[in-house]
Amino acid sequence: MDTRGVGVMALLDFLLGLSIDEVAIRYRMPRTAAEDELRAVLLAYGFDARGSGR
């Protein structure tokens, strides 16, 4: 699965109720990498997901 596929799957898992920590464990990445992956996928689909520390 390519990087975009992992990001989409991680986003789906998150939207279905997994916590960000559970997503990070499932995809074997640090929590910050999981957050960045979710933000990148959302941004690719036109959502501003930069967070409050813009």
Side-chain angles (χ1 to χ4, degrees), residues 23-35:
V23 169
I25 290 167
R26 176 172 282 186
Y27 294 97
R28 296 183 177 122
M29 61 178 79
R31 178 189 165 96
T32 55
E35 291 172 350

Side-chain angles (χ1 to χ4, degrees), residues 1 4 7-8 10 15 23 25 35 40 42 49:
M1 188 177 293
R4 175 66 49 91
V8 170
L15 292 174
V23 169
I25 290 167
E35 291 172 350
L42 288 169

Side-chain angles (χ1 to χ4, degrees), residues 9-52:
M9 294 304 295
L11 177 61
L12 287 174
D13 285 337
F14 181 72
L15 292 174
L16 289 172
L18 291 182
S19 71
I20 193 70
D21 292 322
E22 291 168 323
V23 169
I25 290 167
R26 176 172 282 186
Y27 294 97
R28 296 183 177 122
M29 61 178 79
R31 178 189 165 96
T32 55
E35 291 172 350
D36 291 343
E37 192 69 36
L38 295 180
R39 285 189 185 104
V41 170
L42 288 169
L43 188 59
Y45 288 99
F47 293 94
D48 181 9
R50 291 179 287 178
S52 61

